Amino acid sequence: MVYQVYPRSFQDSDGDGIGDLPGIEQRLDHLVALGVDVVWLSPVYRSPQDDNGYDISDYQDIDPMFGTLEDFDRLLTAAHDRGLRVVMDLVVNHSSDEHAWFRESRASRTDARRDWYWWRPAREGMEPGTPGAEPNNWRSFFGGPAWEYDEATGEYYLHLFSRKQPDLNWENPDVRRAVHDMMTWWLDRGVDGFRMDVINLISKVPGLPDGEVHYGAYGDGSPYYTSGPRVHEFLQEMHREVFAGRPEKLLTVGETPGVTIEDGVLFTDPERHEVDMVFQFEHVGIDHGSSKWDVKPLRLTDLKATFGRWQVGLAERGWNSLYWNNHDQPRIVSRFGDDGEHRVASAKALALLLHLHRGTPYVYQGEELGMTNAGFTSIDQYQDIESLGHFHELVDAGVATEEQMLVALRAMSRDNARTPVQWDASEHAGFTTGTPWLAVNPNHVTINAEAERADDGSVFHFYRRLVALRHDVPVVALGDFHMLAPDHEAVYAFTRTLDLPAPAEGPDGVASAASTASRDELLVLVNVGGAEQEVPPEVLAGWEGAEVLIATHDDAAARRAGVLRAWEGVVLRRS
Ligand code: NOJ
């Protein structure tokens, strides 16, 4: 299991209200208790923090807010001593505009690094710097145009994210070489791999054509930069230059918004030497319309359809990553679960549903506690650049009212995931002795790690058991997946099946009677809702008398077969 730490919100050690590297070190034992294998650190590099560290001004240094390179080395050693591996966030679709590379690039049109970024003149016939004169009509991910006019040199630079995140030009081999060298430097320092930020956006269609306009003034450029023409070539080159031949066991995962299953297979087929796995976005796109602010209720059949297709699509070649949460997504218990009456049961049920799929599970800090959305009610409480950018763009353009946007942000804002981890019931939840950079959720008095570690029935202990099962029971990690009852709107059901090889022959060369191959099978049943549900009889046929491997409710084994209570999940096993 990979556990994501968002350092800013994990643990503060020096009272400045912002989490830091020594703070992470103080809390490593929590991760060990959970059974974590790998820790993914969101960016801790030197950064102006325009996008909380996803805007990097020096790839080979630590931001003073988080500590020093010595703190980093100490954390790495402390993690390794506990058997934890550490994966860095690699943010190389763009740098910060304060990176030395960009400062040089913007210095003049003839600078040797000019071509390291995407510079273009104004649209033909338009006055540079005037509205609509951008080289194309692409909208940035954070609202507004994807181009910034640079008066000094009279050209625009491309930024798919904020204007402080200029896109690097991967067409230039010197850019690629510089990135490879930097990655090698970190691997030599002892890190165990990379989570690659929006890595499928690094290759753009030459010509940068206008995109379709769905709303407002800007167009959707994604068809021209999502999994673009040279992306596989770039990743294969990276693999050759950085990873090939290294003796250590490394982990690579590409964040790939808009990736299709076909491309997912190409990215993750081990024989192609690109990345180990990708984060796809389909299942976090089914509860809203074309914009994430157009929020819709979840239909369970949509979730089954998308998960089912990815499970089948990557069954033979490729590998899935499994996630509900990260620093960009609202909290799952508030999103697809019930963060009121059924918070504990629904957090467990959703965890069970996800962790019994085939793939590598990711847990985002606080998810293992069943932490909930932030519950902010005023725009002043938000700090996230995406939330603020879209709020102002949509309200100013008259696409939504302030009230509508506040409702949407309450459901979908990235800040929902970024409130500090709730360690205990004390003031500021044990996160800091200072003033937290983002408000601590008041519910930390009841939802916190200290209380959950002391309670065997907690969400924390349930996650711990799920992680242990994956380590100990091969069918959980490796078994084939088969979806059942795809049209049922409340019960999520599937099987996992693994044929176990026959034990080796005895020393006399004679196979023992027990040597015939056997089959291990699981039936996973989850009630995704607050009303009792009958499990369709055809799903249960043949499972009479099977043992309960794990369940959200303690007394599941004793219950009348075939009925699931509110948010009840159970895994049956027969072998
Ligand atoms: C994806 C990251 O997860 C997100 O937090 C960030 O804003 C963008 N990439 C830009 O780096």
Side-chain angles (χ1 to χ4, degrees), residues 2 38-41 45 72 76 80 85-90 182-184 186-196 238 242-243 246 248-254 275-276 362:
V2 183
V38 178
V39 180
W40 147 29
L41 282 188
Y45 312 90
F72 181 83
L76 194 58
H80 285 165
R85 292 193 286 147
V86 178
V87 162
M88 298 288 274
D89 219 305
L90 180 79
M182 175 270 285
M183 294 172 74
T184 302
W186 281 106
L187 293 180
D188 290 346
R189 212 172 181 97
V191 310
D192 302 289
F194 297 98
R195 173 268 186 189
M196 303 179 184
M238 179 192 282
V242 179
F243 299 112
R246 292 195 77 102
E248 326 84 290
K249 203 170 162 206
L250 301 172
L251 182 148
T252 55
V253 51
V275 290
D276 295 329
Y362 287 72

Side-chain angles (χ1 to χ4, degrees), residues 71-304:
D71 292 329
F72 181 83
D73 289 341
R74 223 181 12 257
L75 172 62
L76 194 58
T77 305
H80 285 165
D81 287 348
R82 289 166 175 77
L84 300 167
R85 292 193 286 147
V86 178
V87 162
M88 298 288 274
D89 219 305
L90 180 79
V91 189
V92 289
N93 171 69
H94 44 270
S95 71
S96 162
D97 66 336
E98 297 184 33
H99 194 291
W101 297 341
F102 188 74
R103 287 184 201 273
E104 290 171 38
S105 182
R106 80 185 314 170
S108 82
R109 288 200 194 188
T110 53
D111 188 274
R113 290 227 161 87
R114 186 64 167 182
D115 184 49
W116 280 42
Y117 295 84
W118 295 87
W119 290 98
R120 290 289 183 275
R123 195 181 278 274
E124 233 182 286
M126 303 277 299
E127 179 65 26
T130 59
E134 292 85 12
N136 73 19
N137 71 354
W138 295 357
R139 166 182 282 105
S140 89
F141 279 90
F142 295 155
W147 295 92
E148 180 74 4
Y149 182 54
D150 180 57
E151 220 152 286
T153 57
E155 286 189 321
Y156 291 80
Y157 64 85
L158 175 69
H159 59 88
L160 292 185
F161 294 88
S162 98
R163 60 181 184 78
K164 287 185 68 60
Q165 294 167 299
D167 280 52
L168 281 158
N169 176 13
W170 278 69
E171 298 293 321
N172 184 326
D174 293 339
V175 169
R176 307 204 296 274
R177 210 164 303 125
V179 169
H180 301 158
D181 289 349
M182 175 270 285
M183 294 172 74
T184 302
W185 186 85
W186 281 106
L187 293 180
D188 290 346
R189 212 172 181 97
V191 310
D192 302 289
F194 297 98
R195 173 268 186 189
M196 303 179 184
D197 191 70
V198 292
I199 201 68
N200 66 329
L201 309 189
I202 59 177
S203 167
K204 280 87 177 166
V205 169
L208 312 178
D210 279 337
E212 259 183 63
V213 179
H214 301 301
Y215 67 95
Y218 303 103
D220 173 13
S222 63
Y224 307 111
Y225 56 69
T226 302
S227 307
R230 297 183 69 188
V231 69
H232 296 292
E233 174 199 333
F234 291 160
L235 285 179
Q236 286 172 10
E237 179 188 57
M238 179 192 282
H239 191 278
R240 253 190 338 268
E241 297 297 323
V242 179
F243 299 112
R246 292 195 77 102
E248 326 84 290
K249 203 170 162 206
L250 301 172
L251 182 148
T252 55
V253 51
E255 188 210 22
T256 51
V259 69
T260 61
I261 292 181
E262 294 67 38
D263 257 319
V265 173
L266 296 179
F267 283 123
T268 64
D269 178 352
E271 290 186 2
R272 291 172 53 86
H273 302 297
E274 297 189 16
V275 290
D276 295 329
M277 57 197 128
V278 292
F279 294 128
Q280 56 88 11
F281 281 69
E282 274 182 29
H283 66 295
V284 290
I286 54 179
D287 59 346
H288 55 78
S290 62
S291 139
K292 77 189 249 185
W293 313 114
D294 173 17
V295 187
K296 305 210 155 89
L298 169 72
R299 282 190 47 185
L300 189 65
T301 45
D302 292 342
L303 185 68
K304 293 178 182 183

Side-chain angles (χ1 to χ4, degrees), residues 358-549:
R358 186 165 188 261
T360 297
Y362 287 72
V363 174
Y364 175 70
Q365 63 185 37
E367 179 184 339
E368 79 281 16
L369 307 175
M371 275 179 62
T372 66
N373 277 353
F376 294 158
T377 49
S378 145
I379 193 64
D380 305 332
Q381 291 170 290
Y382 290 94
Q383 304 231 8
D384 168 34
I385 185 167
E386 180 194 62
S387 304
L388 298 175
H390 283 269
F391 178 89
H392 292 300
E393 185 190 330
L394 297 183
V395 170
D396 292 351
V399 176
T401 64
E402 287 196 10
E403 291 65 36
Q404 285 168 328
M405 274 310 284
L406 282 176
V407 170
L409 289 176
R410 224 175 132 95
M412 300 303 275
S413 168
R414 308 195 298 181
D415 275 345
N416 284 309
R418 298 178 181 185
T419 61
V421 171
Q422 297 168 201
W423 294 108
D424 58 42
S426 69
E427 201 193 2
H428 309 320
F431 164 68
T432 183
T433 53
T435 306
W437 71 276
L438 188 68
V440 169
N441 195 314
N443 66 17
H444 73 274
V445 292
T446 48
I447 304 171
N448 65 67
E450 190 178 54
E452 297 207 19
R453 289 192 53 183
D455 171 7
D456 194 54
S458 66
V459 178
F460 174 84
H461 282 290
F462 193 73
Y463 267 87
R464 189 181 58 68
R465 284 186 196 106
L466 284 173
V467 176
L469 264 191
R470 178 168 289 267
H471 287 150
D472 299 342
V473 181
V475 64
V476 175
L478 300 171
D480 291 341
F481 175 96
H482 181 66
M483 185 71 80
L484 301 171
D487 299 326
H488 201 291
E489 281 296 350
V491 175
Y492 196 112
F494 56 93
T495 57
R496 302 287 309 281
T497 310
L498 186 67
D499 288 326
L500 301 168
E505 290 172 353
D508 53 1
V510 180
S512 73
S515 70
T516 42
S518 63
R519 165 171 285 205
D520 203 359
E521 278 184 291
L522 305 179
L523 173 64
V524 181
L525 302 168
V526 183
N527 178 1
V528 185
E532 188 169 281
Q533 295 291 335
E534 295 267 352
V535 180
E538 64 277 14
V539 166
L540 276 174
W543 289 88
E544 301 80 9
E547 66 163 312
V548 174
L549 183 63

Side-chain angles (χ1 to χ4, degrees), residues 56-68:
I56 296 169
S57 54
D58 186 343
Y59 289 102
Q60 288 170 238
D61 202 0
I62 300 294
D63 196 279
M65 165 192 293
F66 295 123
T68 61

